[in-house]
Amino acid sequence: EVAKQAADMVLADDNFATIVAAVEEGRAIYANMKAFINFLITCNIGEVAAVFLATLLGLPEVLGPLHLLWVNLVTDGPPATALGFNPPDPGNMQRPPRGRNDPLVTKFTFVRYLLTGGYVGLATVASFIHYYSRFGVQPAALMSWTTCDDGAAHKISDISVACDAFKVVGTLGAANRIVSKAAASTVALTTLVCMEMLRALCAVSERESMLRKPPWTNRFLLLGVALPSILHLAVLYCPPLAAIFQLVPLTKDDWRSIACFALPLVLLEELLKLLARL
């Protein structure tokens, strides 16, 4: 009994392999905790960057309070929770032990936060601007929307009433499309949601490529990504819900635009993982 009280560790089964299993489990828990924190901080930096950049450029409100609340409560929570069930990385036990005083957020991790979160914010705002650009609204006109008038200075081709394009209801544009701030915000919000879902899939490992450790190694993560995605589609295509959130259904062109802005995030994450392994 004295020996047990003086010992740092007590083996109940007299099997030294238990120590190895315990260390592996501890490393996996620590990695999952970092994945949870990294995912949430990156997403929050992206949201803050999007709002700050839109305000700095003088754009119409890219994301409203209800949109930000939707992202934080619905699309962030399930994936972040599911990251706690990530299996250990391949070769997890071949790495040297971390120091007792090693920080949870290293300098490289902090740079990753800024790069990934910065891209999320930039792509969200860029998708908003790109939506208007598809209908002939140049960024300069978009940034001066508060002084818009329907005279020659703000006349936009293929749009019936130029200034109405900056309103939630909108106006008639090319190909009988309604050009509105609601549609632009829908594209921006969906781009943000898609990037956060992709970021969650990439977070299945902090260092390993998705080719070596694919997202389906964590079935809970797939469920955690699928559920918010289905809920977001329901908000887009269910008219009563879309009216509450001031969103509109997306067209094929809108989805192509969203893919162009969201998918590069995966390449950025893979590049940062490569640098982390060097």
Side-chain angles (χ1 to χ4, degrees):
E1 289 297 325
V2 175
K4 287 183 179 180
Q5 294 178 10
D8 293 326
M9 181 185 302
V10 177
L11 291 177
D13 57 0
D14 294 328
N15 186 355
F16 284 100
T18 304
I19 300 177
V20 178
V23 172
E24 184 176 17
E25 183 68 19
R27 288 189 174 189
I29 292 172
Y30 181 79
N32 292 349
M33 181 176 62
K34 288 188 67 176
F36 174 88
I37 295 173
N38 293 354
F39 171 73
L40 287 181
I41 290 181
T42 299
C43 292
N44 286 326
I45 289 177
E47 294 161 22
V48 172
V51 174
F52 177 78
L53 184 59
T55 304
L56 190 66
L57 294 176
L59 301 175
E61 187 180 60
V62 175
L63 299 173
L66 198 57
H67 301 153
L68 294 173
L69 188 64
W70 172 259
V71 169
N72 279 284
L73 294 182
V74 179
T75 63
D76 280 357
T81 304
L83 289 173
F85 297 94
N86 285 341
D89 287 351
N92 190 32
M93 294 298 291
Q94 275 68 52
R95 299 174 194 160
R98 61 181 179 86
R100 178 180 298 179
N101 298 321
D102 286 356
L104 183 64
V105 179
T106 63
K107 292 181 180 179
F108 179 73
T109 303
F110 182 71
V111 172
R112 287 183 70 170
Y113 289 165
L114 295 180
L115 289 177
T116 307
Y119 178 80
V120 169
L122 181 63
T124 300
V125 175
S127 65
F128 183 88
I129 297 174
H130 182 258
Y131 168 83
Y132 277 108
S133 298
R134 285 160 43 201
F135 294 95
V137 183
Q138 299 304 315
L142 191 59
M143 288 186 284
S144 60
W145 71 280
T146 55
T147 58
C148 179
D149 61 71
D150 289 312
H154 290 88
K155 192 61 183 175
I156 302 166
S157 61
D158 297 328
I159 293 182
S160 57
V161 184
C163 293
D164 285 351
F166 306 128
K167 299 178 182 178
V168 173
V169 176
T171 186
L172 191 64
N176 292 324
R177 283 283 314 275
I178 296 296
V179 183
S180 66
K181 193 189 81 67
S185 293
T186 303
V187 171
L189 177 63
T190 305
T191 301
L192 176 61
V193 170
C194 288
M195 285 190 290
E196 293 193 351
M197 297 302 102
L198 291 172
R199 176 66 182 86
L201 295 176
C202 292
V204 72
S205 174
E206 184 184 23
R207 295 164 49 94
E208 299 297 335
S209 169
M210 293 177 68
L211 298 176
R212 189 177 183 198
K213 187 181 180 184
W216 51 83
T217 57
N218 183 353
R219 293 175 295 176
F220 294 101
L221 179 59
L222 297 182
L223 181 62
V225 168
L227 179 60
S229 300
I230 293 172
L231 290 175
H232 186 71
L233 290 174
V235 168
L236 293 182
Y237 294 103
C238 181
L241 294 176
I244 294 173
F245 286 88
Q246 293 186 342
L247 301 176
V248 298
L250 296 172
T251 65
K252 292 181 180 179
D253 289 337
D254 293 334
W255 281 112
R256 279 193 285 266
S257 173
I258 290 166
C260 288
F261 286 104
L263 290 177
L265 180 68
V266 178
L267 299 178
L268 176 60
E269 278 292 314
E270 288 295 300
L271 177 60
L272 292 173
K273 288 182 180 182
L274 176 62
L275 293 177
R277 293 194 300 269
L278 296 179

